[in-house]
Amino acid sequence: MTTDTVARIVSWHPAPSKPRYTPPPGAVDAHCHVFGPMADFPFSAKAKYLPGDAGPEMLFALRDHLGFSRNVIVQASCHGTDNAATLNAIAKSNGKARGVAVVDPAISDAELKALHDGGIRGVRFNFLKRLVDDAPKDRFLEVAHRIQALGWHVVIYFEADILEEMLPFLATIPTPIVIDHMGRPSMSQGPDGAEITAFKALMDSRDDIWTKVTCPDRLSAQGDPWDDFVEVVRPLVERYSDRVLWGTDWPHPNMQDNVPDDGHLVDVIPRIAVTPELQRKLLVDNPMRLYWAEQT
Ligand SMILES: O=C(O)c1cc(C(=O)O)oc(=O)c1
């Protein structure tokens, strides 16, 4: 993408409301991103969108505004396999952020170790054709084997229509797996719909598959306050209470036509995790086990 001719996209709310719900102390926003700033951290030549700057200062201000304590920063596709922007944000967080990288499968062991020292605890494999040009399963599998020694996990982003064909690949991954946005099931099919049922079967196939119960704004067919999402996701949070993570998804890549209010996203939490215990697991215990294991 040539960065001098394309308008830069703003996909986040200019002034998110203050949530009514107060997260428990130590709550982790376990899925968010940073974009740039571009002058310091240019976007990938292969990026499928060109966002405005949404750097660490903005992310940490939002964290505080929403009542969270920590962030897990997931390398956004617009930065390709150069994790410098993500590492920069982690370095500026005073220990309050860790990250998930996207790597070139040819990465050296020394480079992986440097990512670990910079706060990375997982790698992301992205299978969305609108975001990446290729997703080589055989090479991803090699990476998954190599990160085992570091105690990392893999984060996988795919859509419900390819769940079936992903199953053999997922079964061979030797590390814990985190599925982004539940593999994007249809919410309009309801809590017993075919797509969420297939997803639960995947969750049942291994006890080390986790998921992010994120993105009502992306997945709901109804819009804010996303009642269809709540109806489908609440049973999931109860059934897999030790393997669910929550995040804002800020700055909401590609959501410029349907920008969510982050305060409203936080107010979904007590509707999908209906007891203080479920909320503590979702927001504190679970993400701490995956990302700050040495402190648990
Ligand atoms: O659905 C998306 O457009 C999207 C994109 C990215 C990314 O560009 O990395 O990350 C996400 O979590 C979601």
Side-chain angles (χ1 to χ4, degrees):
M1 183 179 280
T2 50
T3 51
D4 48 350
T5 52
V6 185
R8 297 181 65 192
I9 295 164
V10 172
S11 52
W12 58 93
H13 198 287
S17 62
K18 192 92 183 156
R20 283 177 309 226
Y21 171 68
T22 305
V28 182
D29 175 352
H31 184 95
C32 51
H33 315 276
V34 287
F35 297 152
M38 187 169 88
D40 300 326
F41 307 104
F43 298 105
S44 163
K46 295 179 182 168
K48 305 297 183 216
Y49 56 94
L50 181 66
D53 288 340
E57 289 77 15
M58 287 169 69
L59 176 64
F60 301 150
L62 181 79
R63 174 198 67 201
D64 295 345
H65 175 74
L66 298 177
F68 280 73
S69 302
R70 301 179 192 234
N71 297 103
V72 178
I73 304 171
V74 177
Q75 167 82 351
S77 63
C78 56
H79 278 295
T81 57
D82 179 349
N83 294 282
T86 297
L87 291 168
N88 169 65
I90 295 170
K92 290 201 162 134
S93 75
N94 294 318
K96 293 181 180 173
R98 288 217 158 139
V100 173
V102 175
V103 301
D104 182 329
I107 189 169
S108 70
D109 285 341
E111 288 167 317
L112 284 174
K113 175 70 171 57
L115 290 175
H116 187 87
D117 293 343
I120 298 296
R121 292 294 179 269
V123 289
R124 188 185 206 199
F125 302 149
N126 190 337
F127 286 87
L128 267 68
K129 293 197 174 69
R130 69 178 165 81
L131 297 175
V132 290
D133 294 332
D134 55 347
K137 289 196 181 97
D138 49 344
R139 306 213 64 204
F140 284 167
L141 195 55
E142 287 168 20
V143 172
H145 278 278
R146 291 178 52 215
I147 63 169
Q148 251 185 311
L150 293 163
W152 292 9
H153 57 276
V154 305
V155 173
I156 306 195
Y157 192 20
F158 61 83
E159 292 181 296
D161 62 341
I162 65 160
L163 170 59
E164 187 79 25
E165 69 183 74
M166 291 293 292
L167 293 177
F169 170 68
L170 295 172
T172 57
I173 303 258
T175 65
I177 300 171
V178 178
I179 310 282
D180 271 341
H181 319 322
M182 300 166 286
R184 302 186 57 116
S186 160
M187 295 293 157
S188 48
Q189 293 174 355
D192 299 316
E195 290 183 358
I196 196 70
T197 301
F199 182 69
K200 285 183 198 163
L202 170 64
M203 292 289 290
D204 291 338
S205 70
R206 286 170 58 158
D207 60 12
D208 62 349
I209 301 190
W210 302 47
T211 195
K212 295 178 188 162
V213 288
T214 35
C215 295
D217 49 310
R218 289 187 193 281
L219 302 179
S220 168
Q222 296 175 348
D224 187 351
W226 309 298
D227 292 341
D228 53 349
F229 178 93
V230 169
E231 203 192 340
V232 171
V233 173
R234 185 174 47 215
L236 222 66
V237 172
E238 283 160 12
R239 181 160 160 167
Y240 307 107
S241 60
D242 294 321
R243 307 192 255 148
V244 281
L245 302 170
W246 187 89
T248 54
D249 185 44
W250 188 91
H252 313 289
N254 300 305
M255 291 300 288
Q256 58 275 5
D257 295 331
N258 189 13
V259 172
D261 179 328
D262 301 278
H264 293 186
L265 290 174
V266 173
D267 283 330
V268 170
I269 295 171
R271 301 171 65 210
I272 58 172
V274 295
T275 67
E277 189 194 357
L278 287 170
Q279 292 162 15
R280 199 198 63 239
K281 288 181 173 194
L282 176 66
L283 298 174
V284 184
D285 299 353
N286 297 349
M288 288 300 286
R289 281 211 318 285
L290 265 193
Y291 292 99
W292 281 270
E294 79 285 358
Q295 294 180 28
T296 59

Coordinates of all heavy atoms in Angstrom, one line a residue, residues 12-50:
W12 N -11.9 4.4 15.5 CA -12.2 4.4 17.0 C -13.1 5.6 17.3 O -13.0 6.6 16.7 CB -10.9 4.3 17.8 CG -10.0 5.4 17.5 CD1 -9.9 6.6 18.2 CD2 -9.0 5.5 16.5 NE1 -8.9 7.4 17.6 CE2 -8.3 6.7 16.6 CE3 -8.6 4.6 15.5 CZ2 -7.3 7.1 15.8 CZ3 -7.5 5.0 14.7 CH2 -6.9 6.2 14.8
H13 N -13.8 5.5 18.5 CA -14.7 6.5 18.9 C -13.9 7.7 19.5 O -12.9 7.5 20.2 CB -15.5 5.9 20.1 CG -16.8 6.6 20.4 ND1 -16.8 7.8 21.0 CD2 -18.1 6.3 20.2 CE1 -18.0 8.3 21.2 NE2 -18.8 7.4 20.7
P14 N -14.3 8.9 19.1 CA -13.5 10.1 19.6 C -13.6 10.3 21.1 O -12.7 10.9 21.6 CB -14.2 11.2 18.8 CG -15.5 10.8 18.4 CD -15.5 9.3 18.3
A15 N -14.7 9.9 21.7 CA -14.9 10.2 23.1 C -15.8 9.1 23.8 O -17.0 9.3 24.0 CB -15.6 11.6 23.3
P16 N -15.2 8.0 24.0 CA -16.0 6.8 24.6 C -16.6 7.2 25.9 O -16.0 8.0 26.7 CB -14.9 5.7 24.8 CG -13.7 6.1 24.0 CD -13.8 7.6 23.8
S17 N -17.8 6.7 26.2 CA -18.5 7.0 27.4 C -17.8 6.3 28.6 O -17.0 5.4 28.4 CB -19.9 6.6 27.4 OG -20.0 5.2 27.2
K18 N -18.0 6.8 29.8 CA -17.5 6.1 31.0 C -18.5 4.9 31.2 O -19.7 5.1 31.3 CB -17.6 7.1 32.2 CG -16.9 6.6 33.4 CD -15.5 7.2 33.4 CE -14.7 6.6 34.6 NZ -13.3 6.6 34.4
P19 N -17.9 3.7 31.4 CA -18.8 2.6 31.6 C -19.5 2.6 32.9 O -19.0 3.2 33.9 CB -17.9 1.4 31.6 CG -16.5 1.9 31.6 CD -16.5 3.3 31.3
R20 N -20.7 2.0 33.0 CA -21.4 1.9 34.3 C -20.8 0.8 35.1 O -20.7 0.9 36.3 CB -22.9 1.6 34.1 CG -23.7 2.8 33.6 CD -25.1 2.4 33.4 NE -25.1 1.3 32.5 CZ -25.9 1.1 31.4 NH1 -26.8 2.0 31.1 NH2 -25.8 0.0 30.6
Y21 N -20.3 -0.2 34.4 CA -19.7 -1.4 35.1 C -18.2 -1.0 35.5 O -17.4 -0.5 34.7 CB -19.7 -2.6 34.2 CG -18.9 -3.7 34.7 CD1 -19.3 -4.4 35.8 CD2 -17.7 -4.1 34.1 CE1 -18.6 -5.5 36.3 CE2 -17.0 -5.2 34.5 CZ -17.4 -5.9 35.7 OH -16.7 -7.0 36.1
T22 N -17.8 -1.4 36.7 CA -16.5 -1.2 37.2 C -15.7 -2.5 37.2 O -16.1 -3.4 38.0 CB -16.4 -0.6 38.6 OG1 -17.2 0.6 38.6 CG2 -15.0 -0.3 39.1
P23 N -14.7 -2.7 36.4 CA -14.0 -4.0 36.4 C -13.3 -4.2 37.7 O -13.0 -3.2 38.4 CB -13.0 -3.8 35.3 CG -13.5 -2.6 34.4 CD -14.2 -1.7 35.4
P24 N -13.0 -5.4 38.1 CA -12.3 -5.7 39.3 C -10.9 -5.2 39.3 O -10.3 -5.0 38.2 CB -12.3 -7.2 39.4 CG -12.6 -7.7 38.0 CD -13.3 -6.7 37.3
P25 N -10.2 -5.0 40.4 CA -8.8 -4.5 40.4 C -8.0 -5.5 39.7 O -8.1 -6.7 39.8 CB -8.5 -4.5 41.9 CG -9.8 -4.5 42.7 CD -10.8 -5.1 41.8
G26 N -7.1 -5.0 38.9 CA -6.1 -5.8 38.1 C -6.7 -6.3 36.8 O -6.1 -7.2 36.1
A27 N -7.8 -5.7 36.3 CA -8.5 -6.2 35.1 C -7.6 -6.0 33.9 O -6.9 -5.0 33.7 CB -9.8 -5.6 34.9
V28 N -7.6 -7.0 33.0 CA -6.7 -7.0 31.8 C -7.6 -6.8 30.5 O -8.6 -7.6 30.3 CB -5.9 -8.3 31.7 CG1 -5.0 -8.2 30.4 CG2 -5.1 -8.6 32.9
D29 N -7.3 -5.8 29.7 CA -7.9 -5.7 28.4 C -7.0 -6.6 27.5 O -5.9 -6.2 27.1 CB -7.9 -4.3 27.9 CG -8.3 -4.1 26.4 OD1 -8.5 -5.1 25.7 OD2 -8.5 -3.0 26.0
A30 N -7.4 -7.9 27.2 CA -6.6 -8.9 26.6 C -6.6 -9.0 25.1 O -6.1 -9.9 24.5 CB -6.9 -10.2 27.3
H31 N -7.3 -8.0 24.5 CA -7.2 -7.9 23.0 C -7.3 -6.5 22.6 O -8.4 -5.9 22.5 CB -8.2 -8.8 22.3 CG -8.1 -8.8 20.8 ND1 -7.4 -9.7 20.1 CD2 -8.5 -7.9 19.9 CE1 -7.4 -9.5 18.8 NE2 -8.1 -8.3 18.7
C32 N -6.2 -5.8 22.3 CA -6.2 -4.5 21.7 C -4.9 -4.4 20.9 O -4.1 -5.3 20.8 CB -6.2 -3.5 22.9 SG -4.9 -3.7 24.1
H33 N -4.9 -3.3 20.1 CA -3.8 -3.1 19.2 C -3.2 -1.7 19.3 O -3.9 -0.8 19.9 CB -4.3 -3.2 17.7 CG -5.2 -4.4 17.5 ND1 -4.7 -5.7 17.2 CD2 -6.5 -4.5 17.4 CE1 -5.7 -6.5 17.0 NE2 -6.8 -5.8 17.1
V34 N -2.1 -1.4 18.7 CA -1.6 -0.1 18.5 C -1.4 0.1 17.0 O -1.0 -0.9 16.3 CB -0.3 0.3 19.2 CG1 -0.7 0.5 20.7 CG2 0.8 -0.7 19.1
F35 N -1.6 1.3 16.5 CA -1.3 1.7 15.1 C -0.2 2.7 15.1 O -0.5 3.9 15.5 CB -2.5 2.2 14.4 CG -3.7 1.3 14.2 CD1 -5.0 1.9 14.1 CD2 -3.6 -0.1 14.1 CE1 -6.1 1.0 14.0 CE2 -4.7 -0.9 13.9 CZ -5.9 -0.3 13.9
G36 N 1.0 2.4 14.7 CA 2.0 3.4 14.7 C 2.5 3.8 16.0 O 2.6 3.0 16.9
P37 N 2.9 5.2 16.2 CA 2.7 6.2 15.2 C 3.5 6.0 13.9 O 4.6 5.5 14.0 CB 3.1 7.5 15.9 CG 3.9 7.0 17.1 CD 3.4 5.7 17.5
M38 N 2.9 6.3 12.8 CA 3.5 5.9 11.5 C 4.8 6.6 11.3 O 5.7 6.0 10.6 CB 2.5 6.4 10.4 CG 2.9 5.9 9.0 SD 1.6 6.1 7.8 CE 1.9 7.7 7.2
A39 N 5.1 7.8 11.8 CA 6.4 8.4 11.6 C 7.5 7.6 12.2 O 8.6 7.6 11.6 CB 6.4 9.8 12.2
D40 N 7.2 6.9 13.2 CA 8.2 6.1 13.9 C 8.1 4.6 13.5 O 9.2 3.9 13.4 CB 8.1 6.1 15.4 CG 8.2 7.6 16.0 OD1 9.0 8.3 15.4 OD2 7.5 7.9 16.9
F41 N 6.9 4.2 13.2 CA 6.7 2.8 12.9 C 5.8 2.6 11.7 O 4.6 2.5 11.8 CB 6.1 2.1 14.1 CG 6.8 2.3 15.4 CD1 6.4 3.2 16.4 CD2 8.0 1.6 15.6 CE1 7.1 3.4 17.5 CE2 8.7 1.8 16.8 CZ 8.3 2.7 17.8
P42 N 6.4 2.7 10.5 CA 5.6 2.7 9.3 C 4.8 1.4 9.1 O 5.2 0.4 9.6 CB 6.7 2.8 8.2 CG 8.0 3.0 8.8 CD 7.9 2.8 10.3
F43 N 3.7 1.5 8.4 CA 2.9 0.3 8.2 C 3.5 -0.6 7.1 O 4.4 -0.1 6.3 CB 1.5 0.7 7.8 CG 0.8 1.5 8.9 CD1 0.7 2.9 8.8 CD2 0.4 0.8 10.1 CE1 0.1 3.6 9.9 CE2 -0.1 1.5 11.1 CZ -0.3 2.9 11.0
S44 N 3.1 -1.8 7.1 CA 3.7 -2.8 6.2 C 3.3 -2.4 4.7 O 2.2 -1.9 4.5 CB 3.1 -4.2 6.5 OG 3.2 -5.1 5.4
A45 N 4.1 -2.7 3.8 CA 3.8 -2.5 2.4 C 2.6 -3.4 1.9 O 2.0 -3.1 0.9 CB 5.0 -2.9 1.5
K46 N 2.4 -4.5 2.7 CA 1.3 -5.4 2.4 C 0.0 -5.1 3.2 O -0.9 -5.9 3.1 CB 1.7 -6.8 2.7 CG 2.9 -7.3 1.8 CD 3.2 -8.8 2.2 CE 4.4 -9.3 1.4 NZ 4.9 -10.6 2.0
A47 N 0.0 -4.0 3.9 CA -1.2 -3.7 4.8 C -2.4 -3.6 3.9 O -2.4 -3.0 2.9 CB -0.9 -2.4 5.6
K48 N -3.5 -4.1 4.5 CA -4.8 -4.0 3.7 C -5.6 -2.8 4.1 O -6.7 -2.5 3.6 CB -5.6 -5.3 4.0 CG -4.9 -6.5 3.6 CD -4.6 -6.6 2.2 CE -3.9 -8.0 1.8 NZ -2.9 -7.8 0.8
Y49 N -5.2 -2.1 5.1 CA -5.8 -0.8 5.5 C -4.7 0.1 6.0 O -3.7 -0.3 6.5 CB -6.9 -1.0 6.6 CG -6.5 -1.7 7.8 CD1 -6.1 -1.0 8.9 CD2 -6.4 -3.1 7.9 CE1 -5.6 -1.6 10.1 CE2 -6.0 -3.8 9.0 CZ -5.6 -3.0 10.1 OH -5.2 -3.6 11.3
L50 N -5.0 1.4 5.9 CA -4.0 2.4 6.4 C -4.7 3.3 7.5 O -5.4 4.2 7.1 CB -3.5 3.3 5.2 CG -2.5 4.3 5.6 CD1 -1.2 3.7 6.0 CD2 -2.3 5.3 4.4

